[in-house]
Amino acid sequence: MKKTNICTIEHSKITVDGNIIFESENVAFPEFAKDAYKDLELNYPKFHKMDGLSKLAFLSAEMLLKDHDHGRTAIVLANRSSSLDTDFKYQESINSEENYFPSPAVFVYTLPNICVGEISIKHKMQTENAFFVLDEFDETFLNNYSEQILQSGKADKVLCGWVELFQENYKAFVYLLTL
């Protein structure tokens, strides 16, 4: 397999293939993501409704997928915290004395694979996808799983990698794989 186009997002910086694409002084992820969205002129209104994990995955995917047809690109992602960051926010909306009902807008994002769905919708992807929750980034596992998808002929490429966001910590390491 061949790994191409690597995107990393961490420490208020987006890099693609080692080149800095965007950098912000905002350290907190919500502000950083908003700054990146504006600066990179992504123009996808649903971005503003997404939870943090979906924004992180979306930003990293956009750096690698923009301007190409990806109908036959699969997605294989993983992280450690699942959707725990959003789960806490949802629990807070349940416990809030101000709201009698929990927020359905937050509930939508209480599954980690929703970020895969957001990417798939934007790029009209109609192939395999998976989101794994692992103790640590296991590139061998993800690549082996991706290789099976590619060898099956169900996809021509796989967007593969790690997208972790929990409280103030975030990191994306995403890349494209082909045979």
Side-chain angles (χ1 to χ4, degrees), residues 46-59:
K46 286 179 61 176
F47 180 83
H48 301 293
K49 294 181 181 183
M50 294 179 193
D51 74 323
L53 180 62
S54 295
K55 286 179 180 179
L56 179 62
F58 185 86
L59 285 170

Side-chain angles (χ1 to χ4, degrees), residues 13-99:
K13 190 184 303 180
I14 300 174
T15 61
V16 176
D17 299 328
N19 301 311
I20 297 173
I21 302 300
F22 175 77
E23 193 169 10
S24 172
E25 292 185 18
N26 282 319
V27 179
F29 182 76
E31 290 78 22
F32 165 73
K34 192 182 302 181
D35 290 349
Y37 175 86
K38 286 180 187 175
D39 187 75
L40 299 168
E41 300 175 353
L42 297 179
N43 194 25
Y44 190 65
K46 286 179 61 176
F47 180 83
H48 301 293
K49 294 181 181 183
M50 294 179 193
D51 74 323
L53 180 62
S54 295
K55 286 179 180 179
L56 179 62
F58 185 86
L59 285 170
S60 61
E62 281 305 291
M63 299 301 100
L64 304 180
L65 301 177
K66 61 183 176 183
D67 303 328
H68 294 94
D69 176 20
H70 288 283
R72 292 199 30 87
T73 301
I75 304 174
V76 177
L77 298 176
N79 77 4
R80 177 182 305 120
S81 302
S82 185
S83 58
L84 196 54
D85 189 69
T86 302
D87 295 348
F88 277 127
K89 290 177 180 139
Y90 182 67
Q91 185 63 46
E92 287 173 358
S93 79
I94 291 172
N95 295 342
S96 171
E97 293 180 20
E98 298 168 11
N99 296 324

Side-chain angles (χ1 to χ4, degrees), residues 107-158:
F107 176 75
V108 168
Y109 293 97
T110 57
L111 293 172
N113 64 340
I114 295 302
C115 64
V116 171
E118 295 285 7
I119 295 165
S120 296
I121 291 167
K122 166 73 165 68
H123 291 282
K124 298 176 178 72
M125 296 172 160
Q126 299 179 11
T127 184
E128 302 293 311
N129 68 66
F131 195 108
F132 296 98
V133 179
L134 306 170
D135 286 333
E136 58 188 21
F137 177 56
D138 186 343
E139 189 169 5
T140 302
F141 171 79
L142 295 174
N143 289 354
N144 288 342
Y145 190 90
S146 298
E147 185 174 24
Q148 290 177 13
I149 293 171
L150 291 168
Q151 289 178 345
S152 75
K154 293 179 181 178
D156 298 329
K157 297 178 196 169
V158 178

